[in-house]
Amino acid sequence: MSTGFLADQGKPHGYASADLLTGFVPFPEDRAKAYRDAGYWTGQPLDSILTDAAARWPDRTAIVDSATSYSFAELAAVAARVAAGLAELGITEGDRVMVQLPNSCQFAVALFGLLRAGAVPVMCLPGHRTAELGHFAEVSGAVALIVADKVGGFDYRDMAATLVAEHPALRHVIVDGDCADFVPWSSLVEHPGEPADRRPVDPNSPALLLVSGGTTGLPKLIARTHDDYLYNARTCAQTCQMTAQDVYLVALPAGHNFPLACPGLLGSMTVGATTVFTADPSPESAFALIDKHAVTVTGLVNALAKLWAQACDWEPVLPTSLRYVQVGGSRMSPEDARFILDRLTPGMAQIFGMAEGMLNFTRPGDPLDVVVHTQGRPMSPADEMRVVDDNGGEVAPGEEGELLVRGPYTLNGYYRADDANARSFSPDGFYRTGDRVRIFDHGPRAGYVEVTGRIKDVIHRGGETVSATDLEDHLHTHPQIYSAAAVALPDEYLGEKICAAVVFRGRPITLAELNAFLDERGVSAHARPDALVAMPTLPSTAVGKVDKKQVVARLVAGKNG
Ligand code: OOB
């Protein structure tokens, strides 16, 4: 493989606009040099993934959706046309452009068109609404927004009109579909021109902006650099043993780091594998697609993996071609892991990742014990992990504490967020994940990580601190509980009381029955629920994780549905 035009030549140069770099926290030069010297960073722009693939495998199928497909050469050609169209609109190097498209080939076309133009995509998810998009527009200073017309009854054009009215910097709305007064996406895809040659890009500058998955407050923006994200995609594909024979299914929202680059679309492209997009991840539709395209790899959040596993009982077509199914995004109990391994695929793997960078996963061929009981081990030998106690001191090996991370693809600061950065990073540049973990230090799990909860996901009941995750683990062992969230509700006497929001499987149980069950499991009295509320489903975030903020909001509003 080429090592890139800037490797081994000291500090790379290249162009990045001053406006883009305002509020961006780069890697410190000593670590950047170490990553270049070690060959992790190659100095290429992120879209070299496409130019390389188009040169090596021009006629292979790059991307597929229900309407169309593109070979790598076709994708490179259409990305160039889009870049020419963007230039005509005055969108230029370093400009931020929000992308909010459903899972489809056009998502990939937009992403690579923007990169080809030197613009910086802001990866929004279809579930985001004006609160999130307005915030992204404000912070990023985006000049344009690319949306679909109407999906599932929601009209993105109306939302775009509201945003444009409130954010004058947002000069263009580009609509894929029926576009009314906006710029038609088709005018870019069919643009007759060729884009001008781009200046060599600074590989240490932001290639795209991801949004954080945190469940408190509005999402933050995470600038991923060309060097770091290219390394992320390539290394992830290698570690997952992806080859050109693999077919990856994007079942989660494509703009999320997980299906985008872990290995996802971008990782698949680095090895010449095909990516299939679906906007409908229901088992019925997804299984048919997996069968049709002989999909081998995909990434799912826990709730979806569990649903797919269950659906294997009744769906006529089963996803037998799958060889490696990554499940992650939130904690998975060992019971659920076994259930998914038994029902869906023995190729299930766990992944513990974050848009901020650091990825851990179980590898193909890892022992069953590791796959069931851990969330994997770090992707890179250069990932640095520290586990610390409440006072910031490192805990003894194998003990629990907060995970702090630093490495060749982990951010050094949120984009334009000084206050959050003061809280979220240690003085020597480690990102405080807020995740409570233990790193096993001996035996077959040595070096593997177990996520035991979020450090702040605790309930202060009377004088006691109760871990919501520990209680949820116990709840999930009850045969009549399908899924559960333990949350704090305000209480006059206790300060906070424990509420279990539960989706039942079959006959519901009472609070007394539940507490008798928990008593038998050895859960102490102060850590058992004070209230039990049945819900038909648990509310979820834009990527499909349980949204505890929403659970609490519904309980407080007295709405359980
Ligand atoms: C992924 O990314 P985000 O940014 O949506 O969320 C990150 C957070 C982590 O800090 C952690 O709290 C939680 O989600 N998380 C897990 C987990 N995987 C993620 N908690 C427990 N167990 C796991 N396996 O969620 C993400 C990004 C890339 C790949 C996979 C997931």
Side-chain angles (χ1 to χ4, degrees), residues 213 256 258 329-331 351-355 375 435 451 454 545:
H256 188 272
F258 185 4
S330 57
R331 190 181 147 77
I351 178 163
F352 161 42
M354 51 200 75
Q375 279 66 58
D435 293 318
V451 185
R454 295 278 304 161
K545 303 185 195 189

Side-chain angles (χ1 to χ4, degrees), residues 125 127-128 213 251-253 256-259 300-301 304 329 540-545:
L125 306 184
H128 289 143
L252 298 176
H256 188 272
N257 187 33
F258 185 4
L300 306 172
V301 288
L304 192 55
S540 56
T541 65
V543 75
K545 303 185 195 189

